[in-house]
Amino acid sequence: TYASFKKLSKAIDIRDRFLVVDEFHNAALSASKEFRNYELNNLLDRILDFKKVVLMTGTSIVCHHPNLEAFKKVKVVYE
């Protein structure tokens, strides 16, 4: 869970790990000062430390964390 990430990232070397988050828009949009903001920012602050990262969503969102700007965005259109 997002809440356990800080403790987990101290226990394992995340530089050798892949991070896959499905429905990423739920995480980004549900964060508020009162709910999950600290946990999600902690994850996003360290996201570039992972060997590979895949953040998936079917919902277009705007997320202003500077580490997310490093990622290539791929749009898949099904016809």
Side-chain angles (χ1 to χ4, degrees):
T1 65
Y2 298 113
S4 64
F5 173 72
K6 188 172 185 175
K7 184 184 282 188
L8 179 65
S9 67
K10 289 179 181 180
I12 64 170
D13 186 0
I14 63 173
R15 294 173 298 172
D16 295 331
R17 306 293 177 160
F18 288 27
L19 174 68
V20 178
V21 180
D22 192 15
E23 303 293 339
F24 180 70
H25 64 277
N26 286 332
L29 296 175
S30 68
S32 70
K33 200 171 194 178
E34 298 79 27
F35 180 70
R36 277 200 203 148
N37 191 50
Y38 173 79
E39 290 87 356
L40 288 170
N41 276 319
N42 187 34
L43 173 65
L44 293 175
D45 288 344
R46 303 273 326 269
I47 202 164
L48 297 178
D49 295 339
F50 284 91
K51 185 174 183 175
K52 294 203 183 236
V53 175
V54 176
L55 304 173
M56 299 180 288
T57 182
T59 303
S60 181
I61 61 169
V62 176
C63 190
H64 298 288
H65 195 285
N67 284 350
L68 293 178
E69 305 218 357
F71 292 97
K72 181 174 135 185
K73 291 161 186 73
V74 177
K75 182 176 181 177
V76 177
V77 178
Y78 178 76
E79 296 180 19

